[in-house]
Amino acid sequence: QVQLVESAGRSVQAGDSLRLSCEASGGPFSSYMVAWFRQAPGKEREFVATINWADGSAYVTHSLEGRFTISRGSANNTVYLQMNTLKPEDTAVYYCAARRQYGTPTVYYTSEDFYDYWGQGTRVTVSP
């Protein structure tokens, strides 16, 4: 069973960039789809991005395209979320999640219901 650990969150200024990492233990990401979700204060958790480890195909939610990027690390146990031009509305707890994925996916799973493994979350605060 894979266990996920997110990198430490930070407090940053609007316009800054920040890269979060998600590291797996208990198994490589090689047969997983790995996603990032976030939950802003007072709001429901929402999908950010997902990547299929095996082929690197990825999807970022439309509203964050161009600012956020999801990628694989060189070792098969790390996934990154690169966040650029951060805005105060990006303030949230960011969660890494994973699900088993065999073969090339025909869809990208954007609902948290499809993910079986979750990290504890890491807080990102963006000040104006």
Side-chain angles (χ1 to χ4, degrees):
Q1 178 173 329
V2 67
Q3 294 176 323
L4 308 176
V5 179
E6 299 96 344
S7 55
R10 286 178 51 193
S11 294
V12 298
Q13 299 292 317
D16 286 352
S17 296
L18 182 64
R19 188 176 76 167
L20 301 179
S21 64
C22 173
E23 188 169 328
S25 61
F29 275 143
S30 55
S31 58
Y32 285 84
M33 182 176 283
V34 183
W36 286 95
F37 289 79
R38 68 182 185 180
Q39 187 167 20
K43 295 187 177 181
E44 293 188 352
R45 190 155 54 186
E46 64 176 359
F47 170 81
V48 174
T50 191
I51 187 167
N52 183 45
W53 181 270
D55 63 9
S57 58
Y59 172 71
V60 178
T61 195
H62 182 69
S63 62
L64 298 176
E65 270 186 316
R67 292 199 301 123
F68 286 26
T69 305
I70 188 171
S71 63
R72 301 176 293 184
S74 55
N76 63 354
N77 67 339
T78 306
V79 168
Y80 298 106
L81 181 69
Q82 178 68 43
M83 305 183 290
N84 297 327
T85 319
L86 283 162
K87 303 176 181 180
E89 51 263 43
D90 295 318
T91 294
V93 176
Y94 285 74
Y95 296 89
C96 177
R99 57 168 280 124
R100 284 281 192 180
Q101 180 62 46
Y102 298 104
T104 302
T106 56
V107 296
Y108 291 107
Y109 298 99
T110 61
S111 169
E112 60 183 86
D113 294 339
F114 289 104
Y115 292 86
D116 303 307
Y117 307 102
W118 290 83
Q120 293 297 308
T122 187
R123 186 174 301 276
V124 174
T125 302
V126 184
S127 301

